Amino acid sequence: MGIVNVTPDSFSDGGLFLDPERAVAHGLELLAQGASVLDVGGESTRPGATPVPADEELRRVLPVVEALSAHGRVSIDTRKEEVARAAVAAGATMINDVSAELWPVAADLGVGWVAMHMRGEPATMQAEPRYDDVVIEVCAFLDERATLARRAGVAEIWVDPGIGFGKTVEHNLALLARLDAVVALGWPVLVGTSRKATLGRLLALSDGVEGLVPPDDRLAGSVATEVWAMHRGAAMVRAHEVRAAVQASKVVAA
Ligand code: HH2
């Protein structure tokens, strides 16, 4: 799954593809690099991000969804029913739902649905997230939502542990270490680690420096975690650097 962020403030590529023509060109390049799905989003969900009104989100994503749907499969990365409905009308065939609440919309429209786990809201989710057992709690949540979606009639259901969404470095690593438990739920699993802050921290430790390495210098960590996730049974990874992810997937498959 290749990422097309039509936003001014995404954590790693904010502002690069806010212009629809540039976003479409980027999406086409990701398809050429081997992406199976393009995930188009118009609202950043980075920690501390401010919510975007629906009309602005629609203005950003609709022309891009419409143009890219003619060339490949498009998912719409949104938490808003109105945006999901309009994007599907414009050609998207999957709703990537970081709120895990839009399954009735996916059922109604007959499209695929991704249920992602998030603790809290992007604005506040990184303020001291706590779990008794993060793996057990995330698995229980995903299985409950996926089961509701199945009962509602959604035919294509994905689950995603939501790396970085209301989770510390340790929580993220526990979820990756026990990804087999998520896979064992029996739903196809999507994992998004690409350029995330946990990698920034681990790569800084590797370099022996304080803080985080910047998002555009996290490729080794992105590919390492993508390979790990594939090997543990993830069926799809959500990546900024699609060529590297596709190459890694071919090597893993071989
Ligand atoms: N991560 C981000 C956004 N959407 N969707 C799923 N299913 N899984 C993820 O891990 C996931 C996601 C955050 O990454 P990005 O889109 O690059 O950043 P931003 O939210 O700042 O636009």
Side-chain angles (χ1 to χ4, degrees):
M1 173 181 270
I3 301 170
V4 181
N5 282 325
V6 198
T7 58
D9 59 343
S10 286
F11 76 94
S12 85
D13 54 6
L16 284 181
F17 311 112
L18 187 56
D19 169 47
E21 272 177 36
R22 288 180 71 171
V24 171
H26 184 59
L28 293 176
E29 191 181 318
L30 299 186
L31 284 177
Q33 291 175 6
S36 311
V37 182
L38 295 174
D39 190 38
V40 177
E43 178 185 51
S44 172
T45 47
R46 79 189 145 75
T50 35
V52 175
D55 58 346
E56 171 63 15
E57 196 178 329
L58 285 166
R59 204 181 57 77
R60 292 178 186 173
V61 296
L62 283 187
V64 179
V65 169
E66 197 173 339
L68 289 176
S69 299
H71 300 275
R73 185 168 196 201
V74 171
S75 76
I76 178 68
D77 185 353
T78 190
R79 302 187 282 160
K80 298 189 186 75
E81 171 167 355
E82 184 183 346
V83 175
R85 285 187 181 276
V88 170
T93 59
M94 185 184 250
I95 302 172
N96 176 24
D97 177 10
V98 304
S99 72
E101 283 174 358
L102 298 180
W103 74 89
V105 183
D108 183 33
L109 300 174
V111 295
W113 180 63
V114 179
M116 195 200 78
H117 177 275
M118 170 164 61
R119 171 63 60 85
E121 288 287 311
T124 52
M125 67 189 176
Q126 289 306 104
E128 288 190 56
R130 274 172 221 256
Y131 300 83
D132 288 330
D133 184 320
V134 68
V135 176
I136 290 175
E137 289 170 48
V138 168
C139 283
F141 173 86
L142 293 176
D143 200 39
E144 182 202 309
R145 293 298 165 105
T147 302
L148 287 169
R150 175 59 36 90
R151 282 198 203 122
V154 182
E156 182 187 359
I157 300 165
W158 294 77
V159 297
D160 181 333
I163 299 299
F165 285 84
K167 295 165 187 100
T168 62
V169 171
E170 289 71 29
H171 294 144
N172 292 321
L173 291 176
L175 284 165
L176 287 171
R178 292 298 324 281
L179 197 65
D180 59 317
V182 184
V183 171
L185 297 172
W187 310 97
V189 172
L190 168 65
V191 178
T193 56
S194 190
R195 296 182 176 172
K196 285 189 177 167
T198 289
L199 302 177
R201 183 68 203 122
L202 296 176
L203 297 173
L205 287 171
S206 168
D207 286 346
V209 298
E210 296 288 315
L212 310 179
V213 303
D216 64 358
D217 191 24
R218 297 177 185 169
L219 179 60
S222 301
V223 175
T225 46
E226 286 157 9
V227 165
W228 174 276
M230 291 171 203
H231 186 248
R232 298 281 143 148
M236 183 148 67
V237 297
R238 184 178 179 278
H240 296 89
E241 280 124 329
V242 166
R243 178 166 177 262
V246 169
Q247 287 182 322
S249 77
K250 302 285 185 204
V251 174
V252 171

